[in-house]
Amino acid sequence: MEIATKYNPSEVENKWYRYWMEKGFFHSEPDEREPYTIVIPPPNVTGVLHMGHMLNNTIQDILIRRARMKGRNACWVPGTDHASIATEAKVVAKLMEEGIKKTDLTREQFIEHAWSWTRKHGGIILEQLKKLGASCDWNRTCFTMDEKRSESVIRVFVDLYEKGLIYRGVRMVNWDPAAKTALSDEEVNYREQQGKLYYLRYRIVGDDSYAVVATTRPETIMGDTAVCINPNDPKNAHLKGKKVIVPIVGREVPIIEDEFVDIEFGTGCLKVTPAHDMNDYILGEKHNLETIDIFNDDGTLNRFGLQYEGKDRFEVRRLIESDLQEAGLIEKVEPYENKVGFSERTNVPIEPKLSMQWFLKMEKLAKPALDAVEDDTIRFYPAKFKNTYRHWMENIKDWCISRQLWWGHRIPAYYLPQGGFVVATTKEEAYQKAMEKVNYHLSIDDLRQDEDCLDTWFSSWLWPVSVFDGINCPDNRDITYYYPTNDLVTAPEIIFFWVARMIISGYEYRNEACFRNVYFTGIVRDKLGRKMSKSLGNSPDPIELMNKYGADGVRMGMLLTSPAGNDLPFDESLCEQGRNFNNKIWNAFRLVKGWETANVEQPESAAVAVRWFEAQLVKTIESINDSFDKYRISEALMEVYKLFRDEFSSWYLEMIKPAYGQPIDRKTYDATIIFFDCLLRMLHPFMPFITEELWQALEERNDGESIMVATLPDAATGWDANCIEGMEEAKEIISNIRMIRLQKNIPNKEPLKLQIVGDYASCYFPAVEKMANLSVIEKVSEKSSGAVSFLVKTAEFAIPLGGSMNVEEELEKLEKELKYYQEFLVSVLNKLNNESFVSRAPVKVIEIERKKQADAESKIKSLQESIAALK
């Protein structure tokens, strides 16, 4: 296979991804091998690839490719989420552009528009993942609203309802006025907002004085049905048993007493608006207060808003402040910072609202899911997220699962003409249930299905089970083989939305954990530490990055600074570093494949290099395995990166490289090809495209062969620590000689002598001789006069320089260096002579300081001898 002069990522990537697809390497079917399963966190069907997806899916692909190369039956299930709120908003916006309002359409007409939009845009992000190299089993692609997943969702709703875990009732919910739907608590983000605290005057009935009430929301006074004081508050004791008049509204409301009121907040008087505040709702229930809902679903005021009817809530806040000031009913206004809840989807302030909704009881369901994480049946990486998970699970609330939307799984509840309802998987089944329930004539057309649809998360919480059709067919071949899945890679911000709920559903429907490990990625941030987002304009286009640096370059750039659970400070220069590494691999390959071979004797320098690199390779494999076991994926990449860049390219290839125009011996060449093959296989999960290209070119391959199904190198043979330690000393000797050449301006082509002062032996001297261009290595009892010396550990080495040195310059440099080490030794001895330091410091710290002392004393002795020799 002819190898190009330069690496062209786009040509290579398209060629090999097509090859992998054609050969079916991504596809998995149950067999006798051990399975390894990942289910993709399904991206929104509305979405396009962003940097968070890039990081998450790169990590998943690394794990799945590694498992495949370890001989496991690897199955990575892809898919998308129907994303009720986001998709409905996109479709409504598209229709508006065409001059069509949602309200002009029937539900069925709107759903058809939504399906049309989904069919057109829904596959974009999955196609983009292919460019990244994602080795998903595309034959298994799922959609949360496809037939099997939809059937699963409806079955689960009916099952949980029949178990008494789903109920319907009027509750205070988080209302999104933009999306016009209820939200769960987890879909609300609280942010500090600078607002105002308004002190309003409520005139006391039968009196000319006022009760002053502090509020941040004067626009809700039309819904006030009481004012509450703390019975233990002496400053408001005169209000007990009285009534006050709500400003502007003119309604008389009672003063009620409850210890819930914070005496220190404001004036200690609390306006009670049961329809529009969670705590007020509780007070209203307790004290049997009237509930007046003053808002329409879009956040405008309704008829109870009096003269403000039809106006937006925030516009009313501005108007009512002016009106109250004019009426003399505002005591004062102060700046005030408080937490305001925003919709996670539409980013507008949510409105607490009483609404008839469907809920799922969570307390009992959550217990096995909490235990599974607590006892490490399911492990979190990093483990710090166990605390976050525990806090939420121990304080879990019932889940509001209904949404006032059309796009989604319609709630399978059917209302009867004379009251009541039945829950069933189909209308026909509902009719049969209804007939058993009523004693009057009923036709199937008399049943009216609930208008609401289910929360999107109610489908995705079943994902690890439903992708294998484990709800509809609980004993099918796929679910029994692939479940439980192995690893989940996701973001910590959906630990409640998705991770916890999947664990809950896994125990409810399979009676076991749905995955064994959860790897939490960090947030991708820019150089200023800001989260990357479209609104800030600080997020690069991943497709453009891959076009510029290649998929492998970007994959590597994403992982270079991406420890589990910690944020990723992304810089485009990381992708450039990834591309440069691609080029280094490519050029190293061209160098090796460009050598001529001959049946000549293997030089000793090459023999020791082969022995050393074999040990280094096995040691690194062990270390990489350990990093993967601990889900330190960035560290694993860094280990193989350094192995190739530093040990293989900078040292090993230089040690074995034949002289210009000369052939390399066959024994060394064959070993080098084996090493290159191992390195490519180790790199493949991280950099799939370039490794496939070079592996195919490394030797003759048959059609159907691929590095992605080749075996990952293992560390079964163990490694020689002495061999590696000896080479590290040899490297230090070589580096010192090179530094002397640099400092003394001695050309590399000029051979030097190396003197060993004392007794020191190394099997690596042949490599030292070659790499440092030495004419001879000799043992001496005393170094030559004028020689430049250096230490490696406690052994002294010297390079005789003869007359090629400026003695005065050298003396000045040596005396300066001597002074530095003498001062350094004094500082170390001061520590060691300090009884307080020695008695308190750990043993290891004392050992380090004593080693510093020994090294400094040895260095000082060597420098003094060098100076004496020159004088």
Side-chain angles (χ1 to χ4, degrees), residues 17 26 61 64-65 68 76 129 133-138 708:
Y17 202 88
F26 302 160
D61 195 47
I64 208 80
R65 285 179 183 273
R68 198 180 281 124
W76 183 13
L129 285 176
S135 56
C136 301
D137 186 345
W138 300 109
M708 69 177 290

Side-chain angles (χ1 to χ4, degrees), residues 765-782:
F765 280 154
V768 173
E769 235 176 81
K770 179 180 180 181
M771 296 285 282
N773 190 15
L774 301 176
S775 57
V776 66
I777 298 176
E778 58 183 6
K779 287 189 178 183
V780 296
S781 56
E782 192 175 313

Side-chain angles (χ1 to χ4, degrees), residues 26-28 33-37 64 67-68 72-76:
F26 302 160
H27 184 57
S28 171
R33 290 174 294 167
E34 181 186 357
Y36 176 85
T37 317
I64 208 80
R68 198 180 281 124
R72 298 176 71 177
N73 190 352
C75 180
W76 183 13

